[in-house]
Amino acid sequence: MKDIECRTRGEAGLLHRLDYDTSGLLLFAKYQKIYDKMLKLFMEDKVTKQYVAISDYLGASRISGLHDWYLSGSNAPLSFSITTKLAGVGRRKSRVKVVLPHESLAKKINRTYTSAIKVKQNAMGKIESKVQISNGFRHQIRSHLQFIGMPIINDSLYNENYKRNHNIEEIHNTEEGAIDLCLHAHSIEFTHPETKKVIRFTAELPDRMG
């Protein structure tokens, strides 16, 4: 795999990467031919990725019905999706923000990103989300969940609860997130570019999210 020519030097066939402190699946190609064909599938949004996140709920939400659903303590899951433009901001663009249509920056961005989300409440009053994406932007899920009032537990970049409970210097010295970030790449599904069989890989949830 080390001889495969990748988009980024030294990635050794890596097709699916993760944010720092996100657990779960990585996907590598062993051969250049498969890497090139798989990369095309990723670029055409033909690879489905599902993540699991555990989130705080901070109150007001931009999703219709979510606040009432949370207050009701319902055991029934709730499904919705969010589609926005995204952009890197801050020092070294280490954070990602949702770009709203009225913002001047929106005119410079052509692509939108969609997160399909299914939520349920756990016994601790936290929200467990299954988030499905096909296209992807760095920190997409973390930014989208923060935007709708559901920041991921132990996320130093996007969760105000974490920032209030930890030393500010510690946060500023951390580029990507907190140890034990409750975000896990659970599954990847695609049609194999040569055999045409549907392939699905899964990774069990870590103990911190079980």
Side-chain angles (χ1 to χ4, degrees):
M1 293 192 295
K2 66 180 180 179
D3 296 326
I4 293 177
E5 184 177 336
C6 301
R7 289 181 298 174
T8 302
R9 186 176 180 180
E11 287 196 336
L14 179 63
L15 287 159
H16 180 247
R17 59 183 56 79
L18 300 175
D19 294 342
Y20 181 73
D21 281 335
T22 300
S23 59
L25 284 168
L26 298 171
L27 185 65
F28 292 83
K30 292 179 65 176
Y31 307 106
Q32 186 71 53
K33 180 181 178 181
I34 296 299
Y35 176 86
D36 294 339
K37 290 184 176 182
M38 284 297 304
L39 183 61
K40 187 171 184 289
L41 291 184
F42 273 93
M43 295 181 69
E44 293 175 348
D45 300 336
K46 292 181 179 179
V47 178
T48 300
K49 297 163 280 185
Q50 186 182 85
Y51 291 73
V52 176
I54 308 295
S55 299
D56 289 319
Y57 181 67
L58 300 187
S61 177
R62 301 172 187 266
I63 301 299
S64 176
L66 179 59
H67 187 63
D68 290 341
W69 169 85
Y70 180 80
L71 292 180
S72 73
S74 173
N75 291 322
L78 179 70
S79 299
F80 54 89
S81 64
I82 175 172
T83 300
T84 72
K85 295 180 177 181
L86 297 166
V89 295
R91 186 176 62 180
R92 292 183 290 181
K93 298 189 182 299
S94 59
R95 297 183 73 256
V96 169
K97 66 164 287 184
V98 168
V99 180
L100 299 175
H102 67 269
E103 297 182 59
S104 59
L105 182 57
K107 298 177 181 179
K108 302 177 183 179
I109 304 172
N110 294 321
R111 189 169 187 178
T112 60
Y113 297 87
T114 297
S115 298
I117 303 169
K118 184 176 183 179
V119 296
K120 67 177 183 179
Q121 295 189 57
N122 65 23
M124 302 298 293
K126 305 297 183 181
I127 298 179
E128 179 181 314
S129 305
K130 293 183 178 179
V131 186
Q132 183 170 299
I133 60 175
S134 53
N135 55 9
F137 193 94
R138 181 175 58 89
H139 294 191
Q140 174 180 332
I141 294 172
R142 296 164 69 179
S143 180
H144 272 170
L145 290 180
Q146 184 271 338
F147 180 71
I148 62 174
M150 291 169 37
I152 297 172
I153 291 173
N154 287 341
D155 192 334
S156 67
L157 290 179
Y158 300 94
N159 191 332
E160 292 298 324
N161 282 346
Y162 180 91
K163 294 178 183 180
R164 282 193 294 267
N165 294 329
H166 291 75
N167 184 282
I168 295 298
E169 287 189 13
E170 173 189 337
I171 295 168
H172 287 170
N173 290 332
T174 304
E175 290 188 13
E176 293 290 346
I179 295 173
D180 293 336
L181 176 71
C182 289
L183 178 62
H184 180 78
H186 177 60
S187 68
I188 299 176
E189 184 173 311
F190 56 90
T191 299
H192 193 283
E194 292 199 335
T195 67
K196 305 307 178 184
K197 292 182 178 180
V198 175
I199 305 296
R200 187 172 189 266
F201 297 112
T202 62
E204 293 185 3
L205 291 178
D207 290 342
R208 70 179 187 278
M209 297 176 61

